[in-house]
Amino acid sequence: MANQTVDIVSDSLKALVDDKDFLPELTGEGRNKAFSSLLSILSTPDHVNKSYLRIALEDGQVVRIPSFRVQHNNVLGPYKGGIRFHETVNEDEVVNLASLMTLKNALHEVPFGGGKGGVVINPRDYNEKDLYVICKKYVQYFSDILGPDKDIPAPDVGTGEREMDWMMAEYKSIRPGESYLGSFTGKSVVNGGSLGRREATGKGVYFTFRYLLHDFVCDKENWLAERDNIFAKTALSLKEKPLKLAIQGFGNVGSVAALSAYQCNHLNNKVVAVSDRNVTLYNSDGLDIPSLVKFVSLNKGDLPISDEQLNQAEIKATILNREEILMLDVDVLFLAALENQIHQENMMSIKAEIIVEGANAPVTTEADDYLSEKGIIIIPDILANAGGVIVSYLEWLQGRETQFYSEEEVFEKLYDKMKETFNSVLPQFFGDPFPLRQNCYIHAVMKLSIILYRQGKLY
Ligand code: NAD
């Protein structure tokens, strides 16, 4: 596991070992041994599966592509986590993302464990036929360890419904006669996917922010005002202000979060900037998000990169460099691209008061410590971007029962589940000096510790 997650798990365990009300049955030397078992279980994956997919490309080349499936922990249920297609995928990253899934599922009480997959390619370098073969080969190589009750992949960066449909079809043909709808989630609706799954992560990301700043703060205003807590002060200072939002990444997560913000009636907010792998677009009066969503759907996922393209689409915006989005004078910054975006070199230039992590691990440990000390609220990945796995769970359930929910039912269930989690972590967050990430980890680690203890795994 990469250091950031290990450090936070270890800090969470240190806080818990001293709390005599937590697992009071464990005392003396037995308690120390049990907590050291916990650290070793949670900081190492159960299995790291690696293969080199041998692919005959359409242009005649035969290549071997490194690929991974990491299974971190399944104490809560089958391993679960996306498959990423990206040229920077590496073993440490996949292990870290798999461990984050274990903790995320524990925090939100989703009955899955943690897994993650990765294929070291830039999918833009391959045509559709080659990508189809890569997806099929991935399932062939890992078919023994995948399955609806073993390990259930989903989309991540560089993959989507199309890839999940191909992979599920391959799984079905490798295992004829066995149940297959629950083998992959994030499939298209016609192939047994759930309504609302595509939008689930982005909607959940925006909902997390809206719930904290609107619902929770309004409801607990007096209680918050009495706290001597820097994060409570930040939240109260933003409560009734018109808010300027910037959103880094305009893919599946970022574009849906942007649209949710644009359509939100609960908060007086406007999206003044969005960015992608090429550019930042800025408009102090607020960007026309529906037109940008339409533009990217017609242009291979990319935002307009020239004034000509902006004029043609009738979108008013100034084009800035890709990195400039992070330093803009905004109140809220959503990070929905890749990891390690805010780090030691740029953390001092951040002006936002709230940062919402739609992507996994977009803020490094140093930057997290620095910004948290200044009272900036960071809504961490583990809390904010769980919408995808929550609706994946609903998709898996629907596949098992072959009974399908309406889109409205899906979002109602999603928000109910997220609210339960917020209500268990937010009072503690505003009541004590730990940043929100630490609070969430403590909750997740508590849940996993109790279950591991009751199953007799701590010796
Ligand atoms: P995506 O591939 O659909 O979109 C990624 C976006 O980020 C694109 O707009 C791309 O142009 C942009 N981007 C890439 N590099 C960039 C850079 N250096 N600067 C600015 N923008 C850049 O991916 P996605 O599904 O939206 O996932 C985004 C993040 O959210 C990832 O970290 C992923 O792990 C995380 N996440 C996704 C889901 C899900 O359900 N899709 C669930 C949980 C977490």
Side-chain angles (χ1 to χ4, degrees), residues 84 156-157 201 250-253 276-277 322 337 358-360 385:
R84 177 173 292 197
D156 193 74
V157 175
T201 307
F250 205 71
N252 184 359
V253 179
D276 72 356
R277 66 196 181 98
R322 178 178 88 179
N360 289 313
N385 72 16

Side-chain angles (χ1 to χ4, degrees), residues 250 255 291-304:
F250 205 71
S255 67
S291 296
L292 287 169
V293 169
K294 188 169 167 208
F295 184 93
V296 298
S297 73
L298 299 172
N299 290 278
K300 296 189 175 165
D302 287 335
L303 290 166

Side-chain angles (χ1 to χ4, degrees), residues 84 86 97 101 104 116 124 154-159 197-198 200-202 205 248-255 275-280 296 301-303 322-323 325 335-339 341 357-362 381 385-389 392:
R84 177 173 292 197
H86 198 273
L97 291 169
M101 286 304 296
K104 197 182 292 181
K116 202 79 185 184
R124 288 170 183 267
D156 193 74
V157 175
T159 55
R197 170 63 183 87
R198 200 184 60 75
T201 307
V205 166
Q248 187 200 36
F250 205 71
N252 184 359
V253 179
S255 67
S275 74
D276 72 356
R277 66 196 181 98
N278 301 312
V279 286
T280 294
V296 298
D302 287 335
L303 290 166
R322 178 178 88 179
E323 317 300 340
I325 190 144
L335 301 172
L338 294 171
E339 36 279 293
Q341 295 302 299
E357 295 187 339
N360 289 313
D381 44 14
N385 72 16
V389 74
S392 274

Side-chain angles (χ1 to χ4, degrees), residues 333-350:
L333 183 57
F334 286 76
L335 301 172
L338 294 171
E339 36 279 293
N340 300 332
Q341 295 302 299
I342 301 186
H343 43 74
Q344 216 153 9
E345 277 77 53
N346 63 11
M347 63 192 186
M348 287 175 197
S349 314
I350 304 297

